[in-house]
Amino acid sequence: MTIRKPYNCAVVRYADDFVVTCTTQAEAERAVDRLVPWLAKRGLHLSREKTRVVHITDGFDFLGFTIRQYPAPGTRKRGVVLLIKPSRTSVARLRKRLKDEWRALRGHNVGEVVKRLTPIIRGWANYFRIGVSRRTFEALDYWMFQRELRYVRSIHTGKSWSWRRQRYWGRLHDQRKDNWVFGDPYTGIILLKFSWFSIDRHVLVSGAASPDDPALVEYWAKRSRMRTRTLSPSMQKLARQQGYVCQTCGEPLMNGEELQVHHRLPKSQGGTDGYHNLELDHLYCHQQLHARATTSAVRGRT
């Protein structure tokens, strides 16, 4: 994400999405007029359907969040507070995805349910944990509980509520005093809850620190390491083992690209899932590794 200040405006950009903040409506409208020719020179155009001028008290959505200013008399010097929450669109999209998964999992055992839903919950919660998301997480947990009830009723139509409760809910997490953890008491597998993810506020970049400044290499490396907290525990361990760099390209792991786990010795050749045989690579680096292995195999056969 980059931040620049042309004129009296601030520009926040991520990929092809950006926000321009100004002090007045007239200034914001002038910014739109300046952007159109600036983009045109570069072969781009501003989407009028997706571009609008709004006041901060009405709020706007950006990167899945709703950014809005609320009145807060007596709690702030200016009497207002800016809150960044998961947007309604993001929550609705998540619920639809989870609902589709629950329907597809009807008839499957609880182990498959946990396997399919856990990555979705972890990914969404890790992304939105930097905002004001506590109430949203709690509401999603309640919504998930309703889906769990439907799932259990559909596969055990002749069983009583007390039997279902004992079979699928309980204090199944060793470190949490929660009597309503969903899972399998016999195998110990459990479904994560959104509210288990602590809110972790985003730390702003210090001053005018630039990634291109050779004197700040360690500063940016430390920020990159902090972002591995969004990964699963096993992937965090791999990242630490690798010094937080991709083993193929040598670049920092947390550069915005998708990460994949690579088996150094393929399982088809006797490789295991042990940490000594695994490494984290960027998606395209991982694809290159397999492309090279395939090419070598073809050459070997010819």
Side-chain angles (χ1 to χ4, degrees):
M1 182 174 290
T2 59
I3 302 178
R4 296 173 183 167
K5 292 187 176 181
Y7 306 99
N8 293 320
C9 304
V11 181
V12 182
R13 178 182 67 84
Y14 187 87
D16 63 344
D17 202 359
F18 62 89
V19 172
V20 181
T21 59
C22 305
T23 56
T24 66
Q25 180 175 343
E27 195 173 64
E29 291 171 348
R30 285 197 299 271
V32 174
D33 293 336
R34 288 195 295 264
L35 279 169
V36 172
W38 188 89
L39 290 170
K41 290 180 180 179
R42 292 156 178 81
L44 304 171
H45 71 277
L46 194 66
S47 174
R48 291 291 182 177
E49 295 77 18
K50 299 179 181 180
T51 303
R52 61 194 183 104
V53 176
V54 297
H55 194 274
I56 191 63
T57 55
D58 295 325
F60 61 91
D61 291 352
F62 184 56
L63 303 179
F65 290 91
T66 293
I67 303 169
R68 184 178 176 184
Q69 189 180 80
Y70 296 85
T75 60
R76 294 291 190 278
K77 290 182 179 179
R78 297 177 58 193
V80 295
V81 60
L82 182 72
L83 299 182
I84 303 176
K85 305 178 181 180
S87 70
R88 291 183 179 180
T89 301
S90 297
V91 174
R93 190 179 295 119
L94 172 69
R95 287 190 177 186
K96 182 182 184 307
R97 183 182 179 189
L98 289 171
K99 185 183 296 184
D100 291 341
E101 289 288 349
W102 276 111
R103 288 173 176 171
L105 287 164
R106 192 170 296 169
H108 292 265
N109 61 41
V110 68
E112 185 64 19
V113 171
V114 172
K115 179 181 177 181
R116 293 266 290 273
L117 298 183
T118 293
I120 300 174
I121 296 171
R122 177 181 284 115
W124 202 90
N126 274 324
Y127 182 81
F128 286 99
R129 70 192 297 182
I130 64 171
V132 183
S133 305
R134 177 57 53 204
R135 290 186 180 179
T136 300
F137 284 0
E138 292 173 351
L140 284 170
D141 282 339
Y142 179 76
W143 182 86
M144 283 290 284
F145 178 67
Q146 302 302 316
R147 304 307 304 188
E148 294 163 7
L149 289 174
R150 293 187 184 187
Y151 164 80
V152 173
R153 280 198 298 262
S154 70
I155 60 177
H156 297 294
T157 55
K159 298 294 184 179
S160 66
W161 160 242
S162 59
W163 184 93
R164 295 171 188 161
R165 185 195 184 287
Q166 186 175 6
R167 176 64 180 82
Y168 289 99
W169 288 277
R171 190 175 290 190
L172 306 182
H173 195 296
D174 295 337
Q175 300 175 357
R176 296 184 180 277
K177 297 179 180 180
D178 189 334
N179 295 321
W180 291 95
V181 179
F182 180 75
D184 186 345
Y186 301 103
T187 62
I189 59 173
I190 60 174
L191 188 61
L192 297 178
K193 290 189 175 184
F194 290 93
S195 57
W196 290 353
F197 291 80
S198 60
I199 302 302
D200 188 10
R201 294 285 184 261
H202 174 68
V203 179
L204 297 177
V205 173
S206 299
S210 169
D212 300 322
D213 187 344
L216 297 177
V217 171
E218 179 54 33
Y219 170 78
W220 289 105
K222 182 178 179 180
R223 286 185 66 91
S224 179
R225 291 195 293 269
M226 290 173 59
R227 286 157 58 195
T228 60
R229 289 178 295 183
T230 62
L231 302 176
S232 64
S234 60
M235 293 179 77
Q236 288 183 45
K237 183 173 181 178
L238 287 174
R240 285 195 300 272
Q241 289 181 176
Q242 300 174 199
Y244 302 95
V245 298
C246 175
Q247 297 297 279
T248 301
C249 67
E251 295 295 319
L253 281 171
M254 304 304 289
N255 66 353
E257 293 185 53
E258 180 182 338
L259 298 177
Q260 292 191 343
V261 178
H262 173 66
H263 288 78
R264 295 189 176 108
L265 180 64
K267 297 182 73 173
S268 61
Q269 299 177 22
T272 69
D273 289 328
Y275 285 107
H276 65 281
N277 190 47
L278 302 177
E279 67 180 50
L280 273 183
D281 291 292
H282 298 127
L283 169 63
Y284 295 112
C285 293
H286 192 206
Q287 291 176 346
Q288 290 173 19
L289 285 173
H290 282 278
R292 276 188 235 136
T294 302
T295 302
S296 299
V298 171
R299 287 176 179 170
R301 286 196 294 269
T302 57

